[in-house]
Amino acid sequence: MLSQPHVSLSRRTFLATSAAAGAAVGLAAVPARAAGTRPRPFGRYGSPVARRDPKTVYVHPGGAGDFTTVRDAVAAATGSGHTLVIAPGVYRQTVAVDPGRTGMTWIGASENPRDVVIVYDNAAGTPKPGGGTYGTTGSATATVQADGFTARWITFANDWLRADHPGVTGTQAVALKVQGDRSAFHHCRFLGHQDTLYADSMALGAFARQYFAHCYAEGDVDFVFGRATAVFEQCRFRTLDRTDLSSAPYGFVFAPSTAAANPLGYLVTRSRVDSEAPDGSYKLARPWVPSSDTTARPMLTVRDTWLGPGIDAVAPYANMSDSYPWQAQRFAEYRNTGPGADISVPANRPQLTSRQARSATRAAWLGDWEPWKEAC
């Protein structure tokens, strides 16, 4: 995404490098255990001495598992079908799941996403050790390219802050970039500021299906973006306050970049968009037509969703480039509620008809893949 001014934010990072700092920044502490009971850092998911199956790998920051880092566990889990059970902790590292590691599952052992945090602090403009900078893609804390990936109860975060790096102009800082088909995230959190969640595909002609259920994402500029065919169901999106800007817009929630040949982009359903910023200070979306695909026709459908007062109800959409006006893209709404959904200027709020809405469903978006039926 295009950069915004790299100036101070209204709050500092809410993540720290140790789990002990969690209470101060809103991360749930590891629950205390009664005297005389044995610790169960992996919850109901077994342990290295009571392994669920040969392809289950245990991660524990203190050494009680097979590995102390998620990155090392992924590196060892070659081939398909591995499960990582991750004990509570803050794992400060970057992690990549390459295309060969298909069917991988990550489980936060406590079943509370606040307890298992994977975080790093690269930005697009961060210098690389060998020269150059990371760029938007390279800034990602976690990158998932394999098909069939599933994560449950995990927080993916990028705690890079503009205020800490006033000389850096590339302020995009991705928490998760996911590119694989059939990628599912249940009860996960995505924390960052600009470009938090990059829901994308491996190639222009690859229509990757992704599903996000009961998830939470927060940020400011284009913090959910990319060209995937993605369903966001019963999710919460929170826009952050910014004291560094003197006027709105402070940012944009969605920035899809759907390929023109792909009939399905982002679908947001039964969700919630709220804010800690002043009323009307955010746009719901703007289309991203990247230089690598100037034929893109971004698609976003938001339906049956509560839009809070932080969204500019009069003009909820904006252009990223006037060469590609949002009116020429595939933006639509249906049966939304809340002050940010008020239709005061109908021309600025394209609506689906009832007939069109019958085709705007998770089943239509995801086809024969039904991740909502997967047992936890």
Side-chain angles (χ1 to χ4, degrees):
M1 300 293 92
L2 301 178
S3 296
Q4 293 269 315
H6 51 281
V7 280
S8 177
L9 290 166
S10 61
R11 70 185 197 172
R12 284 196 56 79
T13 180
F14 35 76
L15 294 169
T17 56
S18 68
V25 295
L27 298 175
V30 178
R33 55 188 172 91
T37 63
R38 299 182 64 184
R40 296 185 61 193
F42 303 109
R44 61 187 175 103
Y45 297 99
S47 68
V49 296
R51 201 175 301 275
R52 301 178 80 192
D53 58 63
K55 288 195 172 184
T56 298
V57 177
Y58 295 90
V59 184
H60 187 282
D66 300 305
F67 299 93
T68 58
T69 72
V70 178
R71 180 164 56 194
D72 287 347
V74 169
T78 57
S80 301
H82 288 276
T83 296
L84 272 59
V85 179
I86 308 172
V90 176
Y91 299 85
R92 179 162 287 274
Q93 58 200 246
T94 59
V95 187
V97 181
D98 64 49
R101 289 172 165 80
T102 57
M104 180 174 281
T105 297
W106 294 3
I107 297 174
S110 70
E111 302 185 15
N112 182 342
R114 292 177 177 269
D115 293 342
V116 177
V117 180
I118 303 170
V119 58
Y120 208 70
D121 61 349
N122 281 333
T126 300
K128 295 172 67 173
T133 57
Y134 282 100
T136 300
T137 290
S139 74
T141 297
T143 302
V144 177
Q145 297 181 320
D147 292 343
F149 179 86
T150 300
R152 298 187 180 95
W153 306 296
I154 305 285
T155 291
F156 300 88
N158 190 318
D159 60 357
W160 189 92
L161 288 176
R162 301 178 184 96
D164 293 341
H165 306 275
V168 176
T169 56
T171 58
Q172 302 90 339
V174 177
L176 171 71
K177 180 170 184 176
V178 54
Q179 298 173 276
D181 185 37
R182 293 175 289 106
S183 299
F185 297 83
H186 303 269
H187 303 281
C188 289
R189 299 196 305 161
F190 309 97
L191 309 182
H193 289 271
Q194 183 172 349
D195 290 10
T196 304
L197 173 56
Y198 196 169
D200 204 49
S201 69
M202 284 294 289
L204 182 59
F207 302 159
R209 295 166 296 173
Q210 298 167 9
Y211 180 67
F212 301 83
H214 306 283
C215 290
Y216 171 90
E218 70 178 29
D220 47 43
V221 179
D222 306 329
F223 64 91
V224 181
F225 73 111
R227 67 180 173 222
T229 294
V231 174
F232 301 88
E233 184 170 38
Q234 297 188 60
C235 291
R236 180 187 176 195
F237 305 90
R238 185 163 180 80
T239 59
L240 302 178
D241 198 7
R242 297 185 65 178
T243 58
D244 56 297
L245 297 181
S246 59
S247 62
Y250 287 5
F252 315 85
V253 181
F254 302 99
S257 59
T258 321
N262 190 350
L264 302 170
Y266 286 178
L267 172 65
V268 180
T269 179
R270 295 190 295 158
S271 293
R272 180 181 181 89
V273 180
D274 57 30
S275 182
E276 64 179 43
D279 291 357
S281 55
Y282 273 84
K283 303 291 187 182
L284 185 60
R286 62 178 180 174
W288 176 32
V289 179
S291 59
S292 59
D293 178 22
T294 57
T295 66
R297 283 200 66 215
M299 181 182 187
L300 169 70
T301 300
V302 181
R303 62 168 301 168
D304 300 297
T305 289
W306 187 85
L307 305 179
I311 297 299
D312 178 359
V314 175
Y317 305 107
N319 298 337
M320 186 176 295
S321 167
D322 290 341
S323 299
Y324 307 100
W326 72 263
Q327 294 90 340
Q329 313 309 323
R330 296 176 284 177
F331 285 3
E333 300 178 53
Y334 182 71
R335 217 162 53 185
N336 294 323
T337 58
D342 182 58
I343 306 174
S344 57
V345 182
N348 288 345
R349 309 215 65 149
Q351 302 290 311
L352 297 179
T353 66
S354 296
R355 169 174 281 186
Q356 290 170 328
R358 286 196 289 272
S359 299
T361 65
R362 66 186 183 187
W365 251 244
L366 303 179
D368 59 356
W369 178 48
E370 298 179 331
W372 56 89
K373 293 184 177 180
E374 295 176 5
C376 293

